[in-house]
Amino acid sequence: MVHPRTARASAITPIPRASSDPNTLTAAALSWTLRDLDRRQSEFMRYAEDILGHTADTRRNYKGTYNNFRTYLQSFPPNEFIHRIFDIEGWVGWNRRRGIGDITLNTYWRQLRPFFRYLEQIDGIQNPYQFIKPPRVTSVLPKARSFEECKHILLSAEQYSWATVYERWRAVAIVGVLLYAGLRRREVLGLRAQDINVRSSTITVLFGKGGKQRTVYMAPELRDIIVRYIHEREYRRYAGPGFFAAMDTGQPISLSTFRRIVNVVRRASGIKFSVHSLRHSFITMALRNGVPIHVVRDLAGHSSIVTTAGYLRVFDSDKQREIRKLSFL
């Protein structure tokens, strides 16, 4: 376990806080090397797990973003290395020139920030994030699919010529929990057999985003789909821990298997949907059908109603229906 108050014994020489300019470095700072920075990042990863309690997915994102930043640092001569460590805007520009989109750039920016906060705590560096703003994210069209598209996607999962009946109902159940329950991909993959209770029509999500647990209630149509899948699962005597079991082993399906199933359904439906767009669709349809926003917030596992409201898509049919109500007479 690494704690900020005990980690100062590291080999990296601390940088004084004296200057308000993050690009002004003292002679002490010139001893930093890429190996030193890698060592600090490894310590930060342990700190993020043991002290901050960040999930494995979050830590994996931290590591991936650091590797991207590391590649940026390696693109310069060694004598420029120490100055480039603090050049966050240069790193953002480098990624933009490589074709990285606004949303990903903003995500990278935010995922590297905790590491620099850690360096500020441990080594007293002047945190460059204090002087810059995050990359601007341009507005994008909502991703929710229409009611007709959602229905077609679900029917395509059922009507596709799967090799076995089990594969058919596994695919329908996977699409079902995405559409009817709004689960995230990693939440689907993490479902255990005991997390599904058809008697109470509930799904327990143990490790949602941020490590939060929540209970999702099944609509009657989803319950019917789940019951049918469980029947096929029990018929094959799959008794492994994962709810969605692999064909050959009965063990939890892998990410690659999940992607293959989604790709098959995508091609069969002819609709270029993403997994997250089905979650968008769940939230949008729940709000359009009058479910109170604070209830949808809890079902979706959001921390804020503001986040939930951002998922709502207004369809052209909504505009047409509502404008007919306008009258000055």
Side-chain angles (χ1 to χ4, degrees):
M1 181 184 299
V2 179
H3 192 277
R5 300 200 179 276
T6 59
R8 290 185 176 274
S10 172
I12 298 181
T13 304
I15 299 177
R17 293 174 179 266
S19 173
S20 61
D21 182 356
N23 295 312
T24 301
L25 304 175
T26 66
L30 298 178
S31 64
W32 283 47
T33 67
L34 187 58
R35 179 177 293 182
D36 292 326
L37 200 65
D38 289 343
R39 186 182 304 117
R40 268 294 187 260
Q41 208 278 334
S42 295
E43 293 173 355
F44 165 70
M45 293 292 284
R46 293 195 295 271
Y47 176 69
E49 180 179 10
D50 297 339
I51 305 301
L52 301 180
H54 290 174
T55 65
D57 283 335
T58 298
R59 299 195 308 274
R60 192 177 301 113
N61 290 336
Y62 287 159
K63 183 64 175 178
T65 298
Y66 174 76
N67 288 340
N68 177 276
F69 181 63
R70 192 181 191 277
T71 302
Y72 166 71
L73 296 177
Q74 287 181 303
S75 68
F76 296 96
N79 63 331
E80 294 187 36
F81 168 76
I82 190 59
H83 296 277
R84 295 295 175 178
I85 289 178
F86 298 88
D87 188 15
I88 303 301
E89 289 182 327
W91 169 58
V92 170
W94 174 77
N95 273 303
R96 192 182 299 278
R97 290 190 296 274
R98 295 170 62 232
I100 303 299
D102 290 347
I103 294 177
T104 303
L105 281 175
N106 187 275
T107 301
Y108 280 177
W109 190 92
R110 295 180 186 279
Q111 288 175 347
L112 189 65
R113 181 170 54 182
F115 177 51
F116 274 92
R117 286 176 176 167
Y118 179 76
L119 293 179
E120 183 179 27
Q121 286 181 292
I122 301 303
D123 298 291
I125 70 165
Q126 188 69 53
N127 189 341
Y129 275 86
Q130 296 176 2
F131 305 93
I132 58 177
K133 294 181 179 180
R136 184 171 176 268
V137 178
T138 56
S139 60
V140 295
L141 291 174
K143 301 176 183 178
R145 315 308 307 195
S146 68
F147 171 82
E148 291 75 16
E149 288 176 319
C150 291
K151 181 178 179 180
H152 182 66
I153 291 168
L154 193 61
L155 286 174
S156 297
E158 182 178 349
Q159 295 175 357
Y160 180 77
S161 57
W162 301 97
T164 65
V165 175
Y166 173 78
E167 287 178 282
R168 180 188 312 281
W169 287 103
R170 183 182 63 182
V172 175
I174 287 173
V175 174
V177 296
L178 294 169
L179 271 177
Y180 283 98
L183 267 62
R184 301 175 177 91
R185 180 184 66 186
R186 65 173 175 271
E187 293 171 348
V188 174
L189 290 171
L191 282 178
R192 306 170 305 166
Q194 61 263 41
D195 296 335
I196 310 297
N197 190 325
V198 293
R199 289 188 176 182
S200 60
S201 296
T202 59
I203 300 173
T204 300
V205 180
L206 282 181
F207 302 105
K209 191 172 183 179
K212 294 182 293 186
Q213 178 176 328
R214 73 182 188 277
T215 299
V216 179
Y217 292 86
M218 299 184 225
E221 291 178 8
L222 176 57
R223 184 184 182 280
D224 292 343
I225 290 171
I226 293 296
V227 168
R228 181 62 188 266
Y229 166 67
I230 289 175
H231 172 78
E232 296 299 330
R233 188 178 186 275
E234 291 177 347
Y235 178 76
R236 288 180 172 266
R237 298 181 181 178
Y238 289 150
F243 182 63
F244 291 112
M247 279 286 296
D248 298 331
T249 64
Q251 294 301 306
I253 61 170
S254 64
L255 176 58
S256 61
T257 298
F258 176 88
R259 286 174 171 166
R260 178 182 61 80
I261 293 169
V262 171
N263 286 335
V264 169
V265 177
R266 185 184 294 120
R267 289 194 301 269
S269 68
I271 299 172
K272 295 181 179 180
F273 68 88
S274 67
V275 170
H276 201 62
S277 73
L278 301 187
R279 174 172 163 82
H280 273 256
S281 303
F282 161 76
I283 295 170
T284 295
M285 294 306 167
L287 292 171
R288 290 181 76 209
N289 282 282
V291 179
I293 191 169
H294 66 281
V295 175
V296 179
R297 174 201 61 196
D298 290 349
L299 290 172
H302 288 154
S303 300
S304 169
I305 286 177
V306 175
T307 303
T308 309
Y311 278 67
L312 178 59
R313 175 179 177 183
V314 179
F315 295 95
D316 290 338
S317 58
D318 296 327
K319 301 173 188 176
Q320 294 170 359
R321 182 182 63 253
E322 296 302 320
I323 199 64
R324 294 191 185 102
K325 300 177 183 177
L326 184 62
S327 174
F328 296 99
L329 300 178

